Amino acid sequence: MTHPTTTASEDLRSRRKAAAAECTRWLSGRKTPVSDSLLALAAAATEEERDGYGTGGEVELLEQEVAELLGKPAAVFVPSGIMAQQSVLRVYADRAGTQRVALHGLSHFLQHELNALEEVHHLRIERLTSEPRQPRPDELAAIPGRLAAVALELPLRDAGFVLPTWDELVVFAEACAERGVPLHLDGARLWESTPYLEHSLAEVAALASTVYVSFYKGLGGLSGAAVAGPEDLIAEVRRWQRRLGGNVYTLFPYAVSARDGLRNVLPLMGDLHQQAIELAAALQSTGFRVFPEPPHTNSFRVYAPRPAEQIEVTAVRRMEATRESISGAWQPADVPGWSFVELVVTPDTLRWEIDEAAKAFGELLED
């Protein structure tokens, strides 16, 4: 009997996973053990009564809190962001009588959802641009004909977590309004964006008809998302949630963790952004390059002048030796011989001194 040969990359991935399980300190990306997560949920719960198919309990309280934070009449909790946003665009298309929606070519809709907008909802995609930056009003104007909606991802993750300036965002929103097309904000990381935009969540959300937010990224929740907007539109989103199988028997664990994130992590977003700016500057002086410079949110890309396979070996060895996790796996960059990693500043990062974190990264260039 023959056994399949394990490749070097597979072996390295296994070593990284094993080393991560033994880590006692994290700069970013810590995964809490299941038992600790369950204990934290029990401590964070405020309601004894659980929701029933999303009605009542912690879910209802979460929806009220999100609607208030975003300054919208209503909000609905949905177990996944993919389901939430597909539902919104489907509602817009059905209302408008056209299947055409305008998106960025690097948006999550097109990069990570297996072409669901076309395969499931039969929507037609009009690309505003595929450049690694936020789209401009002239690019919207260049798309002729009627549109059901325009979606804007804030920040644009696959371009390096880039945001528009506040003035640019306002001008783009005005261009949508003048054209009479609803603007939807893909705000998976909207919580993290307000320090750079220097405006409140409600002020940002006021520029759009609907807003999607995630609870498991910056806020550290278990999973789940919410969509906020007009009451009648949110009521239609609830119907699509049901049709797509997202109206499950109870959602209370997700709602409890989301509300806990709103209470304890959301107030830290300014500190996380400032830590990202200072850490990025320190990494630049250590031999790395960062993008954007300075970071627009608490997340940014770190580029290293070493091939991915080489620096990843060094990174895993360091994890095994120090039991410290300082980043995820390194990936090949567009420039041959360079690699990159996405670095997300979390509350764990605040426990590190900037110089200490920069020194840890610098060790990856020494081997």
Side-chain angles (χ1 to χ4, degrees):
M1 179 178 179
T2 60
H3 297 277
T5 302
T6 302
T7 66
S9 60
E10 290 172 338
D11 180 62
L12 192 58
R13 285 194 294 270
S14 296
R15 284 178 57 193
R16 171 176 276 279
K17 183 178 181 179
E22 297 297 320
C23 282
T24 57
R25 197 174 183 216
W26 300 264
L27 182 69
S28 179
R30 175 162 63 107
K31 294 184 178 180
T32 306
V34 170
S35 57
D36 291 347
S37 296
L38 293 175
L39 288 172
L41 283 177
T46 65
E47 297 293 301
E48 287 297 326
E49 180 182 355
R50 65 175 65 185
D51 68 285
Y53 294 104
T55 300
E58 300 269 1
V59 174
E60 185 173 323
L61 292 175
L62 174 62
E63 291 174 346
Q64 292 170 358
E65 290 167 1
V66 170
E68 183 176 350
L69 280 169
L70 298 178
K72 297 297 186 185
V76 54
F77 180 84
V78 184
S80 84
I82 291 177
M83 180 183 296
Q85 298 211 93
Q86 287 180 21
S87 298
V88 171
L89 293 192
R90 177 60 183 265
V91 170
Y92 279 133
D94 289 346
R95 286 185 166 196
T98 177
Q99 306 304 104
R100 300 172 67 235
V101 293
L103 312 171
H104 195 294
L106 295 178
S107 69
H108 193 282
F109 286 111
L110 301 182
Q111 296 296 315
H112 304 288
E113 300 182 15
L114 300 180
N115 200 32
L117 290 180
E118 294 181 337
E119 295 288 340
V120 178
H121 301 283
H122 309 293
L123 301 186
R124 291 177 51 195
I125 309 303
E126 300 289 349
R127 286 168 172 76
L128 292 159
T129 180
S130 293
E131 295 294 319
R133 55 168 173 77
Q134 290 287 342
R136 302 189 304 259
D138 64 291
E139 291 165 333
L140 174 60
I143 300 175
R146 191 176 185 185
L147 294 172
V150 176
L152 200 61
E153 185 177 329
L154 300 179
L156 187 57
R157 184 263 182 94
D158 282 329
F161 305 96
V162 296
L163 285 165
T165 65
W166 173 254
D167 289 344
E168 290 169 341
L169 181 57
V170 169
V171 170
F172 191 89
E174 289 174 344
C176 293
E178 290 171 2
R179 185 160 174 170
V181 58
L183 174 62
H184 169 71
L185 294 185
D186 173 348
R189 296 169 176 83
L190 189 64
W191 315 115
E192 299 96 312
S193 301
T194 54
Y196 177 83
L197 294 172
E198 296 183 322
H199 284 75
S200 70
L201 287 164
E203 288 171 327
V204 176
L207 300 177
S209 300
T210 49
V211 184
Y212 145 72
V213 288
S214 174
F215 298 115
Y216 79 88
K217 298 180 176 70
L219 296 185
L222 289 178
S223 189
V227 179
E231 291 183 357
D232 60 332
L233 193 144
I234 296 304
E236 291 188 55
V237 171
R238 289 185 187 275
R239 289 169 62 82
W240 274 105
Q241 177 186 359
R242 177 72 172 177
R243 289 170 177 143
L244 295 173
N247 186 224
V248 300
Y249 179 58
T250 186
L251 292 161
F252 77 89
Y254 306 108
V256 170
S257 66
R259 295 185 70 213
D260 188 53
L262 290 176
R263 286 191 297 266
N264 297 309
V265 183
L266 183 58
L268 299 177
M269 289 306 170
D271 294 336
L272 298 181
H273 183 226
Q274 183 59 38
Q275 187 86 343
I277 291 173
E278 295 178 13
L279 180 55
L283 292 177
Q284 288 266 111
S285 65
T286 311
F288 296 88
R289 294 291 180 268
V290 303
F291 182 82
E293 181 192 359
H296 292 179
T297 71
N298 65 319
S299 303
F300 57 98
R301 287 186 176 185
V302 181
Y303 290 87
R306 291 191 68 185
E309 60 272 17
Q310 292 182 13
I311 195 169
E312 179 65 0
V313 168
T314 304
V316 171
R317 286 175 178 168
R318 188 186 185 283
M319 288 178 68
E320 293 169 336
T322 65
R323 299 179 73 183
E324 293 178 344
S325 175
I326 62 173
S327 77
W330 290 81
Q331 306 294 327
D334 291 338
V335 178
W338 281 68
S339 56
F340 83 96
V341 71
E342 291 180 344
L343 185 59
V344 181
V345 172
T346 71
D348 284 321
T349 318
L350 298 178
R351 300 185 179 98
W352 291 63
E353 296 293 332
I354 295 296
D355 291 345
E356 179 187 22
K359 180 179 182 297
F361 265 84
E363 293 172 6
L364 304 184
L365 301 181
E366 295 174 357
D367 189 6

